[in-house]
Amino acid sequence: GLPANDIQTTSSETSRPTTSIQLAGKVIAITGANRGIGLGIANSCLDNGASHVYSIDIGETGDDFAAVAKRFPGKLHAIKADVTNEDTVTAAVDQIVQEAGSIHGMVVNAGRTKHKPALDFTREEIDQLWSINLYGAFFCARVAARAFIKLGVKGSVVFTASMASYRPNKRVPSAPYGASKAGVRNMTHTLAMEWAQYNIRVNSISPGLVNTAMTYWVPQQPDWEQQLKYYGGMPRLAEVEELGGAYVYLLSDAASYTTSIDIPVNGVIGI
Ligand code: NAD
């Protein structure tokens, strides 16, 4: 049996865990936050008190990024790095710790898709998808975990998975994309298990259809709103702001005992 005093309890009021869902004082890195879902998450983190948010992105920043940066002067930053190269991600995280003093959360969000029948995919196309969505995801999570362990921070890693990890999209199927996102959800569980000893939490979020460059094809479908309704969903795409709350929760201390889960944010359906 267990020793009698094996379970540690907190006794004083001052050491009670927080119940407030906010990010005051936290430094958050988000890959692929120059635009789209990542930028929406950045905006939500800053709305909820994060002291600094860093976008780790291979691309350029645009007007949308500048607008969020203007709302939060001195708090939104961009570092150029390719998530498929672990050394450049390590350099980016080192820079964040040097500039901001610490890092508390890593949102592993950069990703690509390609819609094609499985019979037509070339080896190069599959390599490109998996190197960003799988290798990149693994590297970013691991680089963050190394920093959290070194700093003694109870960090949070949040992956952007997808409803495509659960089931294919009948209109634009992509076996390599779905497999990459299912891989992300699977590595969530293993990393959560391996890093629980360091109080590092690893979770994922599975968006459905979100209004970004990635879903340009949706409004091109005839009767697409009717189709979404037919499949039991809200007859619209999600706006990026509608995802942010789930990320903020998983990054916050209010989720300090929440690890190895996926939160689908998909307006009922994911197709
Ligand atoms: P997006 O194309 O608008 O943004 C992706 C960002 O990632 C870009 O800024 C891009 O420069 C960056 N990026 C791409 N490759 C990179 C690399 N190698 N290194 C660093 N940065 C890189 O896409 P989005 O719609 O915002 O998608 C974000 C994430 O959400 C992706 O992982 C995607 O698979 C996932 N997702 C999107 C939807 C949707 O409906 N849009 C649904 C489910 C999941």
Side-chain angles (χ1 to χ4, degrees):
L2 287 168
N5 285 327
D6 200 40
I7 297 169
Q8 301 288 315
T9 54
T10 49
S11 52
S12 82
E13 265 312 301
T14 50
S15 63
R16 303 295 302 165
T18 183
T19 59
S20 168
I21 303 173
Q22 46 75 34
L23 301 175
K26 290 200 190 293
V27 177
I28 310 293
I30 305 171
T31 67
N34 282 11
R35 67 180 202 194
I37 290 174
L39 182 58
I41 301 164
N43 185 58
S44 294
C45 290
L46 292 164
D47 260 344
N48 289 281
S51 53
H52 291 282
V53 173
Y54 284 82
S55 172
I56 299 175
D57 198 307
I58 200 173
E60 305 298 328
T61 61
D63 292 347
D64 291 349
F65 187 92
V68 178
K70 202 174 161 194
R71 282 185 61 204
F72 302 98
K75 293 188 170 181
L76 180 62
H77 319 271
I79 299 178
K80 205 160 195 168
D82 179 352
V83 296
T84 67
N85 181 332
E86 189 168 24
D87 291 340
T88 71
V89 179
T90 301
V93 169
D94 285 349
Q95 185 185 331
I96 292 169
V97 174
Q98 206 163 39
E99 281 179 22
S102 192
I103 182 168
H104 307 93
M106 165 69 86
V107 180
V108 182
N109 168 80
R112 286 266 164 89
T113 191
K114 188 165 201 80
H115 310 130
K116 236 181 162 180
L119 293 174
D120 298 340
F121 261 100
T122 66
R123 168 73 197 229
E124 287 68 31
E125 288 166 341
I126 299 169
D127 277 348
Q128 211 210 10
L129 272 192
W130 287 355
S131 68
I132 299 169
N133 294 8
L134 278 173
Y135 279 91
F138 183 83
F139 291 149
C140 291
R142 185 162 77 168
V143 168
R146 287 188 184 125
F148 297 151
I149 292 166
K150 198 167 149 195
L151 295 161
V153 164
K154 297 175 182 173
S156 171
V157 175
V158 185
F159 289 106
T160 299
S162 171
M163 287 310 289
S165 70
Y166 289 94
R167 51 179 180 259
N169 181 323
K170 201 171 176 185
R171 295 206 172 263
V172 284
S174 176
Y177 180 76
S180 72
K181 293 302 187 176
V184 160
R185 284 209 296 115
N186 187 283
M187 77 172 81
T188 295
H189 303 310
T190 311
L191 300 180
M193 191 173 67
E194 289 193 26
W195 299 339
Q197 64 183 309
Y198 306 111
N199 280 297
I200 295 170
R201 300 176 295 104
V202 187
N203 298 287
S204 66
I205 288 175
S206 285
L209 292 174
V210 189
N211 185 11
T212 71
M214 199 176 265
T215 49
Y216 70 92
W217 56 272
V218 178
Q220 294 173 1
Q221 306 287 318
D223 294 333
W224 63 278
E225 285 154 315
Q226 286 305 319
Q227 289 285 322
L228 293 182
K229 238 157 91 177
Y230 174 79
Y231 286 109
M234 295 178 194
R236 62 183 181 84
L237 302 178
E239 297 303 327
V240 293
E241 289 79 6
E242 296 183 273
L243 300 169
Y247 286 88
V248 169
Y249 168 64
L250 290 175
L251 290 166
S252 79
D253 292 339
S256 55
Y257 203 58
T258 300
T259 194
S260 196
I261 67 159
D262 181 64
I263 302 181
V265 183
N266 69 339
V268 178
I269 55 156
I271 54 175

